[in-house]
Every structure is written in C-alpha cells, then in structure tokens.
Amino acid sequence: MDWPVAIAKGWHPVASLDEISSRRPHAARLMGQPLVLFRSGDRVTVLRDRCPHRGAPLSHGRMTNGAITCPYHGWRFDSEGRCIEVPGAAVCPSVSASVLPVRVEVGLVWTCLAETPPPFPTLPDAMRDADLDRFWWRLAPSEAGLLDALENHLDPAHPHFVHPWLVRPPDRRHPVSVAVRSGEWGAEAVYFEHRRNTALLSAVMEGSRARSIGRLWPPTIGEVRLESARGAMLSIVVVFTPVDVGVTRPWAHFASTRSWLPAIVKELALKAFHWPVLQQDRRMLRLQERNRTRERYATGPLDVLARPIWQHANGLPCPEEETRLEMSL
Ligand code: FES
Ligand SMILES: [Fe+2]
C-alpha cells in the first residue's frame, strides 16, 4: 500500500514507555513493518524485527545485559543494533540489525521509518500542561483506516446517528456557529453552541458548554476540547498510529482542569462514558473499512476539517485560510 507521504515518513508512537523493559523484548508493528523494542539502562532501542543473519524475529528472543539475543542461532545485538556475539565463534561479522530513530515524548515511544526523519510533530499543549489532571487510556488497535479514524474523532456530524443520546440527541438539532481556520500549523474548527446540548455526555461531564474545538495537529493527531462557561476544560487527544493497512491504534490522552473531583474518579467516569461511544465508533469504522474501494470520498458541508486532514497527510501545501459558517448540530 502507498501510505500518504507525511504518514509514510512521519513519527509515530509504537509503544507506551512503561511497556518497554530490559527483561524482555516488546514486539510492535508500524505500517506493516514488524518492530522490536527494548531498553538498556535509560536508553530505548527500536529495531526492525528481523535478525540480519537468517531473518528470524528478534522479538521472540531474550534480553541479557541490555542486549537482545536472536532465538535462532543466538547472535546478540546491542542497543545500537551491532552484532556483539556469535555463539561458538571467537569473532563477530560486522553486521547490524536495522535500528530506527527513537524519541520518547509524553510517555510514548515514537519512531519513524523514513531514511531522514522529519521534524518531530508539534504536540497539543494539554499533553504537557502540568496543572491538568491527565491519564492515558490504553486501547488496542482496531480495524479502521488511519485517516478515517482521525476524521471520525474530529467529525461533528456523526454523533446524532452513531451515538444517539450519548453525545447528541438523535432527533433534535440546534444552530451552531463554526469558525474554521487552517494553515501549515494544522487546522481547527471552533463550535459556538447557543443552546445547551441535552445528550448525556454533555449534561454530565460539562455543565453548560461555552464552546468546543476540534483540532488537527498534523499529520495524525486529533484533539477535541470542550470548554465550559465556568472555565473548566476537557481535552481528548488521540494520536493515531498506522499499524497496518486497515488497522489503526489510537493512543487516547485525557486532560482536564483540576476540580474538587479526585483525578481517579474523573478517570473512571470518563472511561465509563466513553466506553460505549468508543464501541459505536469502532463498529462504524470497521464497516467503513470493509466497504473500502479506491474511489475518493465526497466532501459535504459539515466535513469542515476533511480537506486539511487530507492535505497534511499527503504533504500538500496548506495555505492560511479562515471561514465562518452555520450548521445545525
Ligand atoms: S537468524 Fe538470528 S542468529 Fe540466525
Ligand atoms: Fe464518534
């Protein structure tokens, strides 16, 4: 498959830092490529999961003293991928396992398949703001196209149909003004709601909503930010990893303004509310994926972030643009 160029060359998270240990290798997958991750001291190493000797998967091997041993003939590779031991021989050939670049950011291990890695993507401020309550929700990969999943997270038009009563009432809409901006930095749609949303999620989690924002942090990060009239804020950032064709892993990060509610109570409540929502989205993304053809999608009047998502993924110029529109949500 030809991945859109900014995705093919981009930085992607492949593991959570706390999954990586010096005791056993961790297998991961990125755009169909098997990878193996391990730790030696403070250093995290990402290798292609293929021994240069006869191609056995290194992730089936074991770790000793910060080096990984291949399960087939026992060649050992250090944290820079160099072969440091061939059992039964006094010397090692000068070969290396293929090492990929690594960045550890916001508790995730990121890597890149490009020869020359691009600059690291800008991450949403809410991921680094020390004054917020936060948690990562660890979710398994699911059957979904990468850009479909990203767009789904930022799409205001499906909740009436896919999440009736949970996110939006199915049969009632009210006018919303939307300010859309896009540029090389990404894109955002700011929704100003004039009336209170009566669906369960809004009623319980937000009180009265002042505005909500859907923001693209290119190329693969979507943030939904809900701001209440009283100044409370909930940010849901999802980083989408292209695991394979039609398989996407979401890394969901929730951050919210501190309140009298203990962080753990908020975490449990947010997970409880979002669990059914997530299942509903996964079901629709799965149906969409199984129905895929090579035809391009049509863009409708409510698909306000579709174009910048596509432009950024494909490395196309995204000139500064600003529009205002009215819709009913
Ligand atoms: S295949 Fe890895 S040591 Fe032979
Ligand atoms: Fe949804």
Side-chain angles (χ1 to χ4, degrees):
M1 141 128 189
D2 287 337
W3 293 91
V5 62
I7 309 295
K9 293 184 170 172
W11 286 93
H12 302 284
V14 287
S16 165
L17 184 59
D18 55 22
E19 292 173 307
I20 309 306
S21 86
S22 50
R23 290 191 305 280
R24 76 183 66 82
H26 177 88
R29 208 171 168 83
L30 180 60
M31 289 180 273
Q33 303 295 315
L35 308 177
V36 58
L37 289 80
F38 60 90
R39 193 198 277 261
S40 43
D42 283 343
R43 183 181 176 138
V44 175
T45 297
V46 182
L47 304 177
R48 287 190 189 263
D49 193 9
R50 189 177 181 285
C51 176
H53 180 219
R54 289 293 180 272
L58 294 168
S59 59
H60 288 248
R62 57 190 153 77
M63 297 293 305
T64 28
N65 299 331
I68 188 166
T69 304
C70 178
Y72 197 176
H73 311 92
W75 289 23
R76 279 178 77 216
F77 302 91
D78 69 8
S79 61
E80 286 167 43
R82 286 180 303 231
C83 180
I84 52 168
E85 186 187 340
V86 171
V91 288
C92 292
S94 73
V95 292
S96 291
S98 171
V99 190
L100 296 178
V102 180
R103 284 280 292 259
V104 176
E105 299 283 347
V106 294
L108 302 179
V109 181
W110 304 63
T111 191
C112 172
L113 299 180
E115 296 269 307
T116 317
F120 195 77
T122 309
L123 300 180
D125 311 331
M127 296 181 107
R128 303 198 193 263
D129 186 340
D131 293 331
L132 300 174
D133 285 333
R134 75 186 62 254
F135 67 91
W136 279 105
W137 192 6
R138 197 166 299 171
L139 299 166
S142 64
E143 193 177 344
L146 177 83
L147 296 185
D148 292 336
L150 172 60
E151 191 185 22
N152 167 273
H153 183 49
L154 298 175
D155 170 30
H158 75 275
H160 303 81
F161 291 89
V162 179
H163 317 298
W165 295 116
L166 282 171
V167 181
R168 291 277 178 194
D171 48 4
R172 227 171 308 139
R173 289 179 181 251
H174 55 261
V176 174
S177 309
V178 192
V180 185
R181 294 193 307 129
S182 59
E184 290 302 336
W185 51 271
E188 73 173 13
V190 184
Y191 303 86
F192 301 92
E193 309 229 358
H194 310 303
R195 291 233 320 272
R196 193 179 168 130
N197 177 1
T198 48
L200 186 63
L201 214 58
S202 289
V204 179
M205 302 310 303
E206 299 164 51
S208 106
R209 187 194 291 195
R211 55 177 203 163
S212 55
I213 303 170
R215 185 160 180 167
L216 166 70
W217 299 78
T220 55
I221 305 174
E223 179 182 23
V224 171
R225 201 178 159 101
L226 309 174
E227 296 175 357
S228 82
R230 290 170 308 197
M233 184 283 291
L234 168 66
S235 150
I236 307 170
V237 172
V238 185
V239 187
F240 293 93
T241 297
V243 175
D244 220 323
V245 177
V247 181
T248 299
R249 181 162 188 186
W251 303 89
H253 175 276
F254 288 70
S256 57
T257 11
R258 294 220 168 103
S259 68
W260 55 271
L261 262 181
I264 183 68
V265 175
K266 260 198 282 184
E267 175 174 341
L268 292 172
L270 282 165
K271 283 181 176 169
F273 277 115
H274 282 90
W275 179 251
V277 173
L278 180 73
Q279 303 315 313
Q280 291 164 336
D281 278 327
R282 288 195 159 193
R283 174 178 172 273
M284 187 50 67
L285 286 164
R286 185 169 63 240
L287 292 173
Q288 189 184 10
E289 182 56 34
R290 291 182 181 176
N291 221 19
R292 181 179 301 288
T293 64
R294 298 188 74 83
E295 258 170 76
R296 283 277 299 277
Y297 296 150
T299 299
L302 270 61
D303 302 329
V304 290
L305 296 177
R307 195 157 56 104
I309 288 174
W310 199 83
Q311 285 168 319
H312 278 285
N314 286 283
L316 298 170
C318 204
E320 215 47 59
E321 270 175 28
E322 212 167 324
T323 45
R324 277 195 166 259
L325 64 150
E326 303 294 322
M327 58 175 72
S328 291
L329 294 177

